[in-house]
Amino acid sequence: MGGHLHCATLEPIPIIGGTGALGAGLARRWARAGVPVVLGSRDAGRAEEAAAKVRGAVPGSDVTGLQNEEAAAKGEIVFLTVPFRAQSENLNNLREAMRPGQILVDCTVPLAAAVSGKATRSLGVWQGSAAQQAQEMVPEGVTVIAAMHTLAAPVLANLDAELGEDVLVCGDKKADKAQVARLIEQIPGLRAVNAGALEMARIVEQLTPMLISVNSRYKTHAGIRLTGLPEGDHWA
């Protein structure tokens, strides 16, 4: 799905929190699709270690590791794939690194596990959702898009596993969502679906604890798939 991006847009995708399970899984998938990736971590050494693992899994791939602030400066669309407990700290640290015109894709899920609770429960976020909290914290001129909440990290990391699911994308401007959708659909088997304004993230983020509950019962890694959507490119 998705076709190849034009060469001019093949700038690196920075993944903040790229040493974690979701970030590393996404890195493997994009790397295999031929998209350059920059993994970010608080520690540059850990970031490079994680990048080396991806390069080992995907020979010939263009994956580098940098300290978070340096990584965030490397691309126009930055993915934040940290646990909820680390979201605020990471966004505070990125305040000087991000610039107007960039898009931050927030993949954060406010799971109760962040405060030693159950992974099948979510936390209330004062702003309504983790994504809305992120929008309050990013520098002026940086747009937040919410996406990737329902993807299972183990499935992403297993390059033998075929994907076939939808990614619900929330944001206030279709043009910004379309840019993110193009990157998502570089990964074969993922379809980006326009799920509405950023405030819809409060619903989408709640799907993750529900999926964790389903998957623990069925011993699987089920994803989300919407039926009845028309064929064709919805982002044109």
Side-chain angles (χ1 to χ4, degrees), residues 8 27 29 32 47 52 55 66 75 85-86 90 129 131 139 152 164 177 188 213 217 225 234:
R29 294 287 176 164
R32 191 165 71 168
R55 292 194 301 267
L66 292 172
R85 66 178 179 276
N90 274 275
S129 65
K177 287 184 279 192
S213 176
R217 285 179 175 81
R225 187 86 203 194
H234 303 285

Side-chain angles (χ1 to χ4, degrees), residues 149-234:
H149 306 94
T150 55
L151 298 178
V155 180
L156 289 171
N158 176 11
L159 293 175
D160 293 330
E162 273 195 39
L163 301 175
E165 58 191 281
D166 291 332
V167 176
L168 303 174
V169 182
C170 307
D172 292 334
K173 288 189 180 166
K174 186 181 176 186
D176 295 329
K177 287 184 279 192
Q179 288 189 64
V180 174
R182 298 276 179 231
L183 291 184
I184 292 169
E185 292 187 349
Q186 284 298 296
I187 298 176
L190 294 186
R191 178 177 66 170
V193 175
N194 187 346
L198 192 65
E199 68 176 12
M200 293 302 292
R202 68 181 67 191
I203 295 171
V204 178
E205 290 170 9
Q206 304 295 320
L207 296 176
T208 302
M210 181 272 291
L211 276 175
I212 292 171
S213 176
V214 167
N215 287 332
S216 68
R217 285 179 175 81
Y218 286 87
K219 307 284 188 287
T220 187
H221 295 293
I224 294 288
R225 187 86 203 194
L226 300 184
T227 62
L229 290 180
E231 291 297 315
D233 186 351
H234 303 285

